[in-house]
């Protein structure tokens, strides 16, 4: 639980603020998200370095922001490809045990093995690679969809 006693989902994303078109889409879904699926964003700056050095620096920053009790869901193209009902179950398990969820979107060079090792679940949106801005929007929509599946809402048509 967070300091105020509430559970929530936090997204740690390496990169710049949301571009306007992405921000509008994210806001559309965030307005519909209710506890414990409400989402807080924390953007971490890109490293000024490149390649392995950038990945190492950004990964250290990511790990420093993760609480030991958090359920860490890592977005990675090499992760497990699941459908929306499976995502809803994946998210519900830690929420049922009062664990906060931290979702990580790494930088352009990915994340170090240490972040992979810390992850409780590594999720691939697709075998395709998407721009980080688009991943943010897709993630927010999928969080809303998971909320609706869990609540038995009509948004998701099986």
């Amino acid at each position: 639980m967070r300091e105020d006693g509430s559970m929530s989902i936090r997204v740690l994303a390496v990169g710049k603020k949301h571009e306007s078109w992405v921000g509008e889409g994210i806001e559309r879904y965030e307005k519909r998200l209710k506890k414990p699926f409400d989402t807080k964003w924390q953007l971490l700056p890109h490293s000024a370095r490149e390649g392995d050095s950038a990945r190492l620096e950004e990964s250290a920053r990511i790990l420093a922001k993760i609480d030991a009790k958090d359920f860490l869901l890592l977005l990675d193209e090499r992760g497990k490809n699941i459908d929306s009902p499976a995502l809803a179950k994946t998210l519900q398990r830690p929420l049922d045990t009062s664990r906060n969820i931290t979702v990580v979107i790494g930088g352009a060079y990915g994340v170090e093995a240490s972040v992979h090792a810390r992850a409780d679940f590594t999720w691939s949106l697709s075998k395709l690679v998407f721009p980080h801005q688009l991943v943010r929007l897709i993630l927010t929509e999928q969080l809303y969809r998971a909320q609706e599946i869990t609540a038995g809402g009509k948004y998701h048509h099986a």
Side-chain angles (χ1 to χ4, degrees):
M1 279 192 240
R2 299 282 178 230
E3 290 175 9
D4 66 359
S6 67
M7 292 184 305
S8 64
I9 297 173
R10 177 178 57 146
V11 180
L12 287 177
V14 175
K16 299 174 184 171
K17 70 179 190 168
H18 306 316
E19 291 183 19
S20 60
W21 65 274
V22 172
E24 290 170 19
I26 288 172
E27 285 176 25
R28 175 180 174 185
Y29 292 106
E30 280 185 328
K31 286 178 185 175
R32 302 176 189 176
L33 290 170
K34 296 172 179 50
K35 288 202 173 297
F37 285 88
D38 59 319
T39 303
K40 312 249 184 305
W41 288 84
Q42 187 171 6
L43 301 179
L44 303 174
H46 285 288
S47 171
R49 300 174 178 156
E50 293 184 9
D52 292 343
S53 296
R55 183 174 44 250
L56 185 63
E57 181 183 323
E58 291 167 355
S59 294
R61 277 196 236 136
I62 289 166
L63 289 172
K65 299 283 184 187
I66 299 169
D67 187 278
K69 296 179 226 158
D70 284 358
F71 179 90
L72 179 61
L73 190 153
L74 173 63
L75 279 164
D76 186 281
E77 66 202 52
R78 292 167 300 274
K80 187 170 184 180
N81 196 308
I82 58 173
D83 62 13
S84 296
L87 176 64
K89 288 178 186 171
T90 298
L91 295 172
Q92 194 59 49
R93 276 187 224 110
L95 294 174
D96 285 346
T97 57
S98 300
R99 289 178 75 191
N100 288 307
I101 297 169
T102 297
V103 179
V104 169
I105 304 171
Y109 300 103
V111 296
E112 284 290 306
S114 57
V115 179
H116 282 276
R118 171 58 183 85
D120 294 287
F121 187 79
T122 304
W123 173 36
S124 171
L125 294 176
S126 168
K127 291 187 184 273
L128 301 171
V129 177
F130 299 114
H132 281 80
Q133 293 283 322
L134 189 54
V135 167
R136 294 176 189 184
L137 180 55
I138 294 169
L139 170 63
T140 309
E141 188 278 337
Q142 284 298 301
L143 292 174
Y144 174 67
R145 185 175 296 273
Q147 170 187 276
E148 292 304 294
I149 290 169
T150 300
K154 296 180 179 169
Y155 181 76
H156 179 77
H157 305 285

